[in-house]
């Protein structure tokens, strides 16, 4: 075991539950003591940690598929880092691991909760994005939940983000007849059509989604991958063709709402068009993990699948990175870099 272990680590705590948009006062960067790892545990110096939209839900004290963050405790989430001390068989100093104790500089965890990753296969941060949880969400949500098939026309919202940018490109790679994306800036829209190969894209801030989608998909859509909810979902229901499918992955337009948000006003169309709307939770799809990594690693190696990351430097900027993600300041995966 190394003699030069750090004695303290900074970590982000939730100190008050946000009402509406999170505020800086709801969070605190605090110092915690670090000790040598106990039996079966490892100490990891985090190099990157993830900020994700689902974390906003964990800041509320409500029953959900993941427990809420505890007040005055460190928040958690995906992270990758380097083992700096090991008291566990199979893990050595210098190994790189993916684990669930982000939002801090040093993580002390049972080795069984860490997965080794290879920095020679992909940059470490990619294990939080294109080769990680968001990538698997895109893959499972499109191919399994939406039952995508060759020739489908696909619409994805949040299309320049971590999940959305992969959904659109994966659909193209598997023979979609047309891929349409929506995003929140003209620059992101340009990226979708010029870099990622989308057939059409629009800025949802430039006009009603329903009109812009109809113009971009004159023959309708067969699959909608929903990252946003609200007006986007309503527009998609209008544009979906008979026997269309929608994967309901996220509803970021309402995560900071303080009042109940209205649902789509055209739900009756689901009947006549025999639509299927189905939620996805990435944690249900670990059976696809191996197939996903194999296929995506191949597309990355051949250059057929592209991805971007927005890296915010320094643990002290963790809160800004999180709120920036909710505001759309990211293109591709939003990551906090500690290197
Ligand atoms: N179900 C699951 O298992 C699962 C797993 C992972 C993620 N998700 C969900 O998938 C969605 C995307 O997640 P991600 O990690 O890939 O995040 P992301 O798309 O990389 O980042 C969030 C993006 O949401 C957009 N946004 C924010 N407010 C919006 C609004 N009012 N209307 C439309 N767009 C808005 C912003 O882009 P613009 O500039 O385009 O506005 C922002 O960049 C989220 O809803 C998330 O909760 C679900």
């Amino acid at each position: 075991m190394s003699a030069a272990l750090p004695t303290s680590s900074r970590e982000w705590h939730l100190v008050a539950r946000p009402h509406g948009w999170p505020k800086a006062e709801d969070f605190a960067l605090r110092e915690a003591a670090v000790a040598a790892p106990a039996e079966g545990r490892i100490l990891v110096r985090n190099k990157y940690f993830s900020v994700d939209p689902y974390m906003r839900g964990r800041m509320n004290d409500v029953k959900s598929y993941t427990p809420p963050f505890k007040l005055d405790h460190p928040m958690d989430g995906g992270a990758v880092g380097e083992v700096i001390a090991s008291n566990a068989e199979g893990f050595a100093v210098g190994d790189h691991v993916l684990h669930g104790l982000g939002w801090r500089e040093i993580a002390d965890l049972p080795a069984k909760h860490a997965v080794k990753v290879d920095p020679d296969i992909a940059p470490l941060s990619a294990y939080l994005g294109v080769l990680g949880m968001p990538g698997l969400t895109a893959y499972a949500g499109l191919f399994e939940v939406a039952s995508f098939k060759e020739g489908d026309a696909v619409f994805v919202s949040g299309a320049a983000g971590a999940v959305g940018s992969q959904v659109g490109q994966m659909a193209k790679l598997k023979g979609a007849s047309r891929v349409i994306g929506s995003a929140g800036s003209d620059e992101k829209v340009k990226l979708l059509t010029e870099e990622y190969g989308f057939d059409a894209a629009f800025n949802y801030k430039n006009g009603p989604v329903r009109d812009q989608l109809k113009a971009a998909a004159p023959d309708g859509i067969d699959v909608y991958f929903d990252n946003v909810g609200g007006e986007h979902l309503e527009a998609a229901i209008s544009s979906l063709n008979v026997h269309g499918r929608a994967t309901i992955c996220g509803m970021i337009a309402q995560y900071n709402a303080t009042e109940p948000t209205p649902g789509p006003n055209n739900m009756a169309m689901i009947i006549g068009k025999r639509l299927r709307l189905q939620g996805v939770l990435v944690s249900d799809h670990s059976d696809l993990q191996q197939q996903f990594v194999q296929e995506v690693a191949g597309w990355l190696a051949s250059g057929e699948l592209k991805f971007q990351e927005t890296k915010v430097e320094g643990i002290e900027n963790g809160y800004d990175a999180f709120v920036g993600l909710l505001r759309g300041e990211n293109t591709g995966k939003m990551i906090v870099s500690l290197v």
Side-chain angles (χ1 to χ4, degrees), residues 69-156:
F69 290 131
K70 286 188 186 152
L71 291 183
D72 294 310
H73 282 71
M75 294 188 289
D76 53 66
V80 276
E82 186 174 350
V83 175
I84 54 169
S86 172
N87 199 356
E89 222 173 284
F91 287 81
V93 169
D95 283 349
H96 288 96
V97 291
L98 171 69
H99 62 91
L101 294 187
W103 287 99
R104 69 198 76 190
E105 290 173 307
I106 309 288
D108 177 345
L109 67 146
K112 64 181 181 207
H113 293 166
V115 175
K116 281 193 210 175
V117 290
D118 187 346
D120 294 332
I121 293 179
L124 281 176
S125 53
Y127 293 98
L128 298 175
V130 66
L131 275 174
M133 183 277 280
L136 179 60
T137 306
Y139 191 87
L142 181 65
F143 297 130
E144 191 145 303
V145 178
S147 314
F148 169 86
K149 55 184 190 321
E150 202 181 323
D152 279 344
V154 176
F155 171 47
V156 56

Side-chain angles (χ1 to χ4, degrees), residues 5-320:
L5 289 182
T7 54
S8 73
S9 158
R10 286 177 294 170
E11 54 188 35
W12 278 100
H13 290 205
L14 184 69
V15 297
R17 300 211 177 273
H19 179 70
W21 279 86
K23 301 183 297 298
E25 310 86 85
D26 300 329
F27 303 83
L29 185 59
R30 292 179 172 160
E31 197 119 338
V34 171
E39 177 71 34
R41 300 179 73 93
I42 53 176
L43 272 194
V44 179
R45 185 185 297 282
N46 282 338
K47 293 190 166 180
Y48 303 98
F49 70 82
S50 180
V51 287
D52 296 275
Y54 79 87
M55 292 171 176
R56 178 63 191 84
R58 295 191 65 196
M59 291 169 189
N60 301 331
D61 192 11
V62 291
K63 201 166 176 225
S64 181
Y65 57 91
T66 40
F69 290 131
K70 286 188 186 152
L71 291 183
D72 294 310
H73 282 71
M75 294 188 289
D76 53 66
V80 276
E82 186 174 350
V83 175
I84 54 169
S86 172
N87 199 356
E89 222 173 284
F91 287 81
V93 169
D95 283 349
H96 288 96
V97 291
L98 171 69
H99 62 91
L101 294 187
W103 287 99
R104 69 198 76 190
E105 290 173 307
I106 309 288
D108 177 345
L109 67 146
K112 64 181 181 207
H113 293 166
V115 175
K116 281 193 210 175
V117 290
D118 187 346
D120 294 332
I121 293 179
L124 281 176
S125 53
Y127 293 98
L128 298 175
V130 66
L131 275 174
M133 183 277 280
L136 179 60
T137 306
Y139 191 87
L142 181 65
F143 297 130
E144 191 145 303
V145 178
S147 314
F148 169 86
K149 55 184 190 321
E150 202 181 323
D152 279 344
V154 176
F155 171 47
V156 56
S157 53
V163 174
S165 58
Q166 301 309 309
V167 169
Q169 293 182 81
M170 286 174 182
K172 280 303 279 188
L173 283 163
K174 292 281 189 175
S177 59
R178 188 167 177 80
V179 170
I180 302 122
S182 72
S185 75
D186 294 346
E187 212 181 342
K188 288 183 181 182
V189 164
K190 206 166 150 199
L191 174 77
L192 297 179
T193 52
E194 294 186 3
E195 285 289 316
Y196 292 164
F198 283 50
D199 299 286
F202 59 87
N203 179 348
Y204 66 86
K205 294 175 181 166
N206 284 351
V209 178
R210 198 183 289 222
D211 298 348
Q212 297 201 75
L213 178 57
K214 284 221 152 71
D219 298 326
I221 55 172
D222 304 298
V223 168
Y224 172 48
F225 195 107
D226 192 14
N227 288 314
V228 168
E231 191 193 351
H232 273 86
L233 179 56
E234 189 173 290
I237 290 172
S238 277
S239 276
L240 274 162
N241 294 326
V242 169
H243 294 303
R245 289 89 63 205
T247 292
I248 311 299
C249 175
M251 296 208 169
I252 197 163
Q254 67 186 50
Y255 291 174
N256 291 306
T258 51
E259 299 294 330
T261 46
N265 65 11
N266 53 356
M267 297 284 277
M269 285 185 179
I270 294 172
I271 308 162
K273 296 194 206 178
R274 284 85 90 203
L275 304 181
R276 175 161 63 78
L277 279 65
Q278 188 178 326
V280 62
L281 260 195
V282 61
S283 48
D284 289 347
H285 296 280
S286 41
D287 58 312
L288 287 176
Q289 173 70 21
Q290 230 179 337
Q291 182 188 326
F292 152 72
V293 169
Q294 216 163 34
E295 196 152 20
V296 168
W299 286 331
L300 290 173
S302 65
E304 289 169 286
L305 186 74
K306 296 179 181 160
F307 70 99
Q308 288 203 8
E309 297 170 337
T310 300
K311 288 200 180 104
V312 172
E313 308 283 333
I315 188 154
E316 60 282 2
N317 294 316
Y319 160 75
D320 289 334

